[in-house]
């Protein structure tokens, strides 16, 4: 049985990608969730991850005596292991596009990442409004995302036809744009709805919203609600 090591579903955008792929394509796996510590550098998260992956990060896939780290490498490994499931699109043109889109997400969109950390349960619309007004690099990133989302082959569908690894790579952006209520064009709103209705996205969302952990260093815009 494959094992996928991830961190908190509310916060861990990299963990989300291979988890969605495994879930959406109904590949059997066991999830191992290693929660982030409340304060950076405390707790045993790092030590637990280092015990399986020397680079100290999740996600990590363990399968058949192999340890595969990095979300894109994990998805490529899965695509190779289960070719009949077509984790990448079957057609050459859409497959090439899907790979390019996943690579672009994997290596870019720094402003979106830096300013708008994924926080599924949060309503950060006010923060989003300020960021939108003050951060031109963020507006550029969102414009590029909207361009990509508007170029779908079927306006009612996924990025490259059926749901594929490319969509899993843009899934955390759907959450970032939603939590920070950043303005997007109509095509992109439609894509976001399509994604939010996908059963794998809904399963992740539900689990994320049930999490109680509050990770201070991933909450730069709000303080922990008091329990009393
Ligand atoms: N490029 C890597 C990034 C992995 C990554 O940064 N993971 C974060 C969790 S979302 C992590 O493990 N952070 C812990 C740390 O840096 O100590 C991937 O695609 O898997």
């Amino acid at each position: 049985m494959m094992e996928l090591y991830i961190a908190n579903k509310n916060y861990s955008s990299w963990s989300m990608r291979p988890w969605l792929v495994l879930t959406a394509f109904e590949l059997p796996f066991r999830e191992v969730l290693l929660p982030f510590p409340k304060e950076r550098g405390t707790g045993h998260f790092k030590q637990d991850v280092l015990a399986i992956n020397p680079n100290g990060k999740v996600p990590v896939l363990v399968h058949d005596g192999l340890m595969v780290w990095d979300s894109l490498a994990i998805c490529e490994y899965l695509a190779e292991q289960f070719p009949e499931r077509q984790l990448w699109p079957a057609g050459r043109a859409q497959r090439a596009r899907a790979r390019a889109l996943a690579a672009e997400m994997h290596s870019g969109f720094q402003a979106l990442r830096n300013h708008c950390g994924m926080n599924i349960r949060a309503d950060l619309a006010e923060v989003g409004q300020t960021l939108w007004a003050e951060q031109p690099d963020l507006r550029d990133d969102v414009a590029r995302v909207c361009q990509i989302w508007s170029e779908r082959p079927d306006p009612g569908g996924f990025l490259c036809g059926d749901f594929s690894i490319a969509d899993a790579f843009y899934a955390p952006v759907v959450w970032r744009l939603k939590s920070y209520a950043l303005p997007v064009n109509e095509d992109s709103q439609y894509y976001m709805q399509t994604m939010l209705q996908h059963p794998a996205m809904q399963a992740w969302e539900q689990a994320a919203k049930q999490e109680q952990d509050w990770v201070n260093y991933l909450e730069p815009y709000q303080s922990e609600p008091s329990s009393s």
Side-chain angles (χ1 to χ4, degrees):
M1 168 79 88
M2 292 186 282
E3 286 187 330
L4 184 72
Y5 290 77
I6 61 171
N8 309 50
K9 289 185 173 140
N10 185 55
Y11 301 112
S12 185
S13 58
W14 296 109
S15 299
M16 185 182 199
R17 296 167 166 105
W19 190 98
L20 283 182
V21 170
L22 285 160
T23 305
F25 289 93
E26 298 178 354
L27 303 174
F29 73 106
R30 186 172 84 88
E31 169 190 312
V32 185
L33 197 152
L34 305 175
F36 290 130
K38 193 173 183 65
E39 306 293 345
R40 200 189 289 280
T42 65
H44 46 83
F45 170 81
K46 204 66 181 178
Q47 188 185 322
D48 291 349
V49 180
L50 283 169
I52 45 160
N53 173 16
N55 103 342
K57 291 183 193 299
V58 290
V60 179
L61 183 81
V62 176
H63 181 223
D64 213 5
L66 281 180
M67 187 278 290
V68 188
W69 67 101
D70 190 282
S71 53
L72 188 52
I74 293 169
C75 290
E76 285 287 8
Y77 176 81
L78 294 172
E80 195 182 279
Q81 289 294 304
F82 303 97
E84 72 290 353
R85 300 293 178 100
Q86 296 182 352
L87 274 51
W88 292 114
R92 187 174 73 102
Q94 288 304 331
R95 191 166 62 251
R97 177 169 160 77
R99 280 207 160 96
L101 292 180
E104 181 173 349
M105 175 49 65
H106 201 53
S107 60
F109 298 100
Q110 271 327 312
L112 189 52
R113 268 186 229 301
N114 293 343
H115 295 301
C116 304
M118 190 175 88
N119 193 336
I120 288 178
R121 67 179 168 224
D123 176 353
L124 296 163
E126 273 183 42
V127 175
Q129 232 178 359
T130 308
L131 291 170
W132 190 256
E134 293 178 358
Q135 305 295 341
D137 51 350
L138 175 65
R139 296 198 296 272
D140 289 349
D141 275 2
V142 174
R144 174 61 187 148
V145 165
C146 288
Q147 183 180 39
I148 290 169
W149 288 358
S150 303
E151 288 170 355
R152 306 192 306 288
D154 166 5
F158 292 98
L159 286 182
C160 304
D162 292 336
F163 183 91
S164 76
I165 291 171
D167 298 285
F169 269 73
Y170 285 78
V173 175
V174 170
W175 280 110
R176 291 173 205 261
L177 297 185
K178 186 170 188 298
S179 301
Y180 294 82
L182 299 182
V184 295
N185 63 15
E186 210 177 329
D187 273 345
S188 300
Q189 284 172 29
Y190 203 49
Y191 176 67
M192 287 170 69
Q193 277 167 26
T194 304
M195 285 291 282
L196 290 166
Q197 282 162 10
H198 191 288
M201 281 284 272
Q202 292 191 342
W204 180 276
E205 174 187 2
Q206 208 178 4
K209 288 183 172 167
Q210 276 166 9
E211 288 176 351
Q212 302 294 324
D213 296 337
W214 185 276
V215 179
N216 272 328
Y217 60 97
L218 298 175
E219 293 281 1
Y221 301 121
Q222 47 181 10
S223 8
E224 186 172 9
S226 64
S227 50
S228 57

